């Protein structure tokens, strides 16, 4: 399809076209009690996204706006000085969230524009969905399946739109330019998917750690699931090596590895894992870093380890919970507890422990959740307790 024809598709939908409205809303109360600060943070926010997606044949286009409003703003949002209260990284913002064109055919998906990208488990590149101003990329992405079981996924991103929104500035900019390349080569086997990856991150902004978050990371990941009677076992392992790239003034190299397993016993759920972010020589930002990850998903919900400490991080964790497909009128009901023990990688010392708790359920189009995080500091950061009450609605 020619470009003019595609513009006509977006502007004047015809009968053969599919028009899908996009709408979602979130209401959240987040409370933070952090040692060393005289006041708690109290954030009552509402996030709304709305847009439209239009598809015809193999072509589609979408545009989606996003707005975040603080109805109770007694918190430090990361941008406006509020030194007496803890950080809640949800500044008020309004703007364009996504605007993309996509071509999809058997074995080929091409996407261009401002888009949401979540690779694998989002450990290296993610959408930061927990934050009201989600992370997106101005990028061109190609997903190719040349043969059964083999997938090539390559992205060039020229800009990252961060969680700090339209007012982001200084060390927390709303947009970070750079020549970012994300490449995955995955092969699916009966036991799981083996993926080789390369992530070239170019944080081309002097205010963002003086370019010290620019890095090149190469690694491999294996993840799969097995059915054992009524039980379901999931497992993953990953290894990577990272070093400085582009304008990063640091000369460093650091390793990463992960081993993780979980079992769902058709109700009870148990899991455990060990994740290591290696350190180079103890200078700031010479340990393994993941600036484009969905950080909240990993290393504790209190988010004490973004960026990773100069001496690296070792995270030993275990989880237990219970899930119900339906419970009365509710679906996807679950409760979960996760315990973390954090240590440094270099000059091994205990950083602290954390307990995270979650319960959630879906009723119709609305998902309700309650979270709690309790970080008990030993030799890193300060003890912090966080609580979230959240409602998510999707059309």
């Amino acid at each position: 399809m020619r470009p003019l024809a595609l513009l006509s598709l977006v502007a004047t939908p015809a009968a053969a076209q599919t028009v899908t409205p996009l709408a979602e809303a979130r209401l959240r109360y987040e409370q933070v009690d952090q040692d060393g600060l005289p006041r708690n943070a109290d954030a009552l926010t509402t996030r709304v996204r709305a847009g439209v997606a239009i598809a015809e044949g193999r072509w589609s286009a979408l545009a989606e706006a996003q707005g975040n409003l603080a109805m109770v703003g007694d918190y430090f949002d990361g941008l406006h000085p509020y030194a007496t209260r803890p950080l809640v990284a949800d500044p008020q913002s309004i703007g364009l969230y996504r605007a993309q064109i996509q071509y999809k055919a058997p074995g080929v998906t091409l996407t261009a524009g401002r888009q949401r990208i979540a690779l694998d488990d989002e450990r290296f590149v993610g959408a930061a969905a927990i934050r009201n101003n989600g992370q997106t990329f101005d990028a061109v992405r190609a997903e190719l399946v040349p043969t059964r079981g083999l997938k090539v996924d390559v992205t060039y991103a020229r800009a990252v739109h961060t969680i700090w929104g339209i007012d982001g500035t200084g060390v927390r900019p709303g947009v970070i330019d750079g020549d970012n390349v994300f490449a995955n080569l995955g092969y699916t086997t009966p036991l799981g998917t083996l993926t080789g990856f390369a992530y070239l991150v170019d944080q081309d902004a002097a205010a963002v750690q003086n370019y010290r978050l620019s890095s090149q990371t190469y690694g491999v990941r294996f993840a799969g699931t097995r059915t054992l009677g009524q039980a379901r076992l999931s497992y993953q392992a990953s290894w990577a090596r990272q070093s400085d790239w582009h304008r990063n003034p640091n000369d460093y190299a650091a390793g990463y590895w992960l081993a993780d397993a979980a079992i769902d016993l058709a109700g009870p759920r148990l899991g455990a894992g060990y994740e290591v972010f290696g350190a180079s020589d103890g200078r700031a930002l010479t340990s393994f870093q993941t600036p484009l990850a969905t950080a909240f998903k990993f290393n504790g919900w209190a988010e004490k380890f973004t960026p990773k400490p100069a001496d690296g991080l070792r995270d030993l964790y275990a989880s237990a919970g219970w899930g119900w497909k339906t419970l009365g009128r509710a679906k996807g009901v679950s409760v979960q507890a996760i315990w973390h023990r954090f240590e440094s990688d270099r000059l091994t010392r205990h950083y602290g422990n954390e307990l995270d708790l979650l319960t959630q359920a879906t009723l119709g189009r609305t998902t309700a959740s309650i979270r709690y995080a309790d970080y008990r500091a030993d030799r890193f950061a300060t003890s912090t307790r966080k609580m979230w009450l959240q409602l998510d609605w999707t059309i």
Side-chain angles (χ1 to χ4, degrees):
M1 179 177 290
R2 296 178 180 177
L4 288 178
L6 181 60
L7 291 177
S8 176
L9 159 68
V10 175
T12 58
Q17 298 163 5
T18 300
V19 180
T20 304
L22 306 173
E24 61 178 86
R26 169 185 289 171
L27 178 65
R28 179 166 66 210
Y29 172 68
E30 182 170 347
Q31 195 268 349
V32 185
D33 177 7
Q34 180 174 316
D35 288 4
L37 293 176
R39 297 183 179 182
N40 294 343
D42 290 284
L44 179 61
T45 58
T46 183
R47 196 273 309 281
V48 176
R49 289 177 182 160
V52 63
I54 304 174
E56 181 180 2
R58 294 178 174 179
W59 289 91
S60 64
L62 68 81
E64 186 177 22
Q66 171 181 265
N68 180 54
L69 173 67
M71 294 178 288
V72 176
D74 296 332
Y75 64 97
F76 174 44
D77 65 6
L79 303 177
H80 306 96
Y82 214 151
T84 60
R85 297 186 189 270
L87 172 68
V88 175
D90 288 324
Q92 296 192 103
S93 181
I94 188 169
L96 184 65
Y97 178 57
R98 290 189 295 165
Q100 67 182 51
I101 296 174
Q102 186 175 85
Y103 172 82
K104 193 168 186 177
V108 178
T109 301
L110 305 175
T111 310
R114 188 167 303 172
Q115 55 190 283
R116 188 167 50 209
I117 300 176
L119 299 179
D120 295 323
D121 59 353
E122 302 186 63
R123 170 27 87 202
F124 296 99
V125 180
I130 191 67
R131 299 272 55 107
N132 286 347
N133 302 311
Q135 179 171 269
T136 56
F137 300 83
D138 288 343
V140 177
R141 182 181 184 186
E143 299 169 80
L144 311 175
V145 183
T147 186
R148 183 177 179 180
L150 182 65
K151 182 178 180 181
V152 181
D153 190 336
V154 180
T155 298
Y156 168 75
R158 64 170 299 275
V160 181
H161 292 261
T162 74
I163 64 172
W164 305 112
I166 59 172
D167 291 331
T169 186
V171 298
R172 297 184 173 105
V175 182
I176 304 175
D177 293 327
D179 295 313
N180 301 276
V181 178
F182 316 135
N184 276 10
L185 177 63
Y187 182 70
T188 300
T189 74
L191 294 177
T193 299
L194 179 64
T195 304
F197 56 82
Y199 300 125
L200 310 181
V201 176
D202 181 18
Q203 300 273 274
D204 195 11
V208 182
Q209 303 289 358
N210 191 30
Y211 310 110
R212 291 179 299 169
L213 289 175
S214 295
S215 65
Q216 51 184 330
T217 301
Y218 305 93
V220 63
R221 178 177 185 264
F222 182 77
T225 60
R226 300 285 287 177
T227 300
L228 307 172
Q230 291 188 334
R232 188 171 183 84
L233 175 67
S234 60
Y235 43 84
Q236 61 174 323
S238 186
W239 174 89
R241 190 72 172 171
Q242 183 179 96
S243 59
D244 52 284
W245 196 56
H246 268 202
R247 301 172 70 176
N248 191 331
N250 284 334
D251 181 9
Y252 80 100
Y256 166 88
W257 68 270
L258 164 74
D260 178 282
I263 189 166
D264 186 338
L265 300 168
R269 299 170 180 174
L270 300 171
Y274 191 54
E275 188 174 32
V276 177
F277 295 81
S280 179
D281 56 19
R283 288 176 296 146
L285 300 175
T286 60
S287 55
F288 199 105
Q289 302 293 326
T290 58
L292 301 182
T294 296
F296 184 85
K297 291 181 63 177
F298 309 94
N299 310 132
W301 298 337
E303 295 188 279
K304 290 298 181 178
F305 299 98
T306 303
K308 299 298 178 287
D311 287 329
L313 173 67
R314 298 180 184 178
D315 180 4
L316 174 66
Y317 56 92
S319 64
W322 203 290
W324 299 264
K325 291 184 179 180
T326 60
L327 195 62
R329 296 176 57 194
K331 297 181 179 180
V333 181
S334 65
V335 293
Q336 183 182 35
I338 309 171
W339 173 84
H340 296 264
R341 177 181 172 83
F342 301 112
E343 294 182 341
S344 65
D345 179 61
R346 179 179 175 273
L347 305 176
T348 305
R349 63 188 184 278
H350 183 224
Y351 283 152
N353 298 331
E354 182 169 328
L355 177 64
D356 297 328
L357 304 173
L358 168 66
T359 181
Q360 64 181 8
T362 299
L363 188 62
R365 298 182 182 274
T366 302
T367 298
S369 62
I370 303 173
R371 294 179 188 263
Y372 178 76
D374 185 358
Y375 174 72
R376 302 292 179 92
D378 185 358
R379 299 183 183 182
F380 187 82
T382 55
S383 295
T384 301
R385 294 147 297 281
K386 295 186 177 185
M387 186 266 291
W388 300 261
L389 305 176
Q390 183 168 315
L391 294 174
D392 286 284
W393 174 89
T394 304
I395 193 171

